[in-house]
Amino acid sequence: MANKKVKISKENFDPKKHVKEYKRKCNECGKVWHSLALREKEISKEVGCNQWNAIANCCNPSAQLQAKRNVDANQTELDKLRKCPNCASQNYHEEVLIYEKK
């Protein structure tokens, strides 16, 4: 018997029991892809932390450059998750899906 996923409402979302993901469909080529909301949140936090590190290390040029490289790398990773893997368009429809953890 197939394991059927039951959608959970946003109001009932509990990160200890549920998984939240983005289902995106490209409006240009029709490709559908998924991305975990937790992963995007982690990357966004890393971008913010690295931006603060770049500011805090303003007197140390090499540390500031490394912090900027970290910001750029994390931002690039986040952009990749939010672009169509087929045609690289950012023109998409997004739906939030919430499921119980296995």
Side-chain angles (χ1 to χ4, degrees):
M1 186 167 131
N3 186 6
K4 186 176 179 184
K5 290 184 177 181
V6 178
K7 287 176 70 174
I8 309 296
S9 69
K10 289 180 184 178
E11 295 80 31
N12 294 329
F13 176 70
D14 179 353
K16 293 178 183 174
K17 294 191 250 178
H18 304 120
V19 174
K20 185 190 299 187
E21 69 179 17
Y22 298 110
K23 177 183 177 185
R24 296 181 173 121
K25 181 175 181 181
C26 180
N27 293 328
E28 303 296 324
C29 72
K31 172 81 173 171
V32 175
W33 74 101
H34 297 258
S35 175
L36 291 174
L38 181 61
R39 180 68 184 134
E40 290 193 18
K41 185 177 180 179
E42 288 171 353
I43 295 170
S44 294
K45 282 183 182 179
E46 289 173 13
V47 169
C49 288
N50 287 324
Q51 287 173 335
W52 280 109
N53 285 339
I55 292 168
N57 292 313
C58 63
C59 295
N60 184 340
S62 62
Q64 186 177 21
L65 287 173
Q66 182 60 49
K68 173 143 178 33
R69 284 191 293 270
N70 293 344
V71 168
D72 293 344
N74 288 332
Q75 189 61 49
T76 300
E77 187 175 350
L78 191 58
D79 289 343
K80 282 182 186 177
L81 293 174
R82 294 179 178 169
K83 284 184 183 177
C84 175
N86 192 42
C87 70
S89 172
Q90 288 184 312
N91 179 13
Y92 58 81
H93 171 75
E94 180 178 272
E95 181 182 356
V96 177
L97 303 176
I98 302 171
Y99 301 107
E100 287 188 25
K101 290 182 178 179
K102 290 185 180 182

